Amino acid sequence: QVQFVESGGGLVQPGGSLRLSCTASTSAFSIYGMGWYRQAPGNQRELVASVTSSGNTNYADSVKGRFTISRDNAKNTLYLRMDSLKPEDTAVYYCNKARNVWSWGQGTQVTVSS
């Protein structure tokens, strides 16, 4: 059973930045497209950024130009750099495969508030 451990969340003021990390328990991580998802209270979980095994990236319109996804296959780790954060970015952030997801981790809470 693959496990994901997300970290790096916290409370930040609007306009601030955070860097999230997610470590997978399998080296198979390297062959899959991976993504960052988020779920705000009362909303469905949504995919906000993805990166293919070869490093091509894609972003939801709501985060394009502000978030940057990257991966380190040697460390089985996925990153999300978030800049110019807005209150509407407040959510629990999760990582998983970009398609045909595995089990979900605990996620990491991001709260953007003054």
Side-chain angles (χ1 to χ4, degrees):
Q1 184 78 352
V2 176
Q3 292 185 331
F4 296 108
V5 178
E6 297 95 346
S7 62
L11 173 63
V12 63
Q13 292 187 341
S17 298
L18 284 173
R19 187 196 193 207
L20 307 184
S21 298
C22 167
T23 301
S25 62
T26 174
S27 58
F29 166 92
S30 66
I31 68 173
Y32 292 107
M34 296 296 299
W36 280 99
Y37 299 76
R38 69 184 181 188
Q39 186 168 22
N43 290 358
Q44 290 190 337
R45 196 170 302 180
E46 61 172 343
L47 178 66
V48 297
S50 62
V51 57
T52 66
S53 57
S54 58
N56 294 317
T57 59
N58 194 42
Y59 299 92
D61 287 344
S62 58
V63 307
K64 198 170 293 183
R66 301 187 298 119
F67 289 12
T68 304
I69 189 171
S70 61
R71 65 191 299 164
D72 185 337
N73 289 336
K75 296 181 179 180
N76 297 338
T77 300
L78 187 71
Y79 302 100
L80 186 68
R81 171 73 182 188
M82 305 187 295
D83 296 312
S84 303
L85 282 161
K86 304 175 181 180
E88 52 263 42
D89 295 319
T90 295
V92 180
Y93 284 72
Y94 304 86
C95 71
N96 212 311
K97 291 167 63 184
R99 297 176 180 174
N100 302 319
V101 298
W102 287 323
S103 299
W104 295 97
Q106 299 265 3
T108 186
Q109 175 72 47
V110 172
T111 302
V112 184
S113 174
S114 56

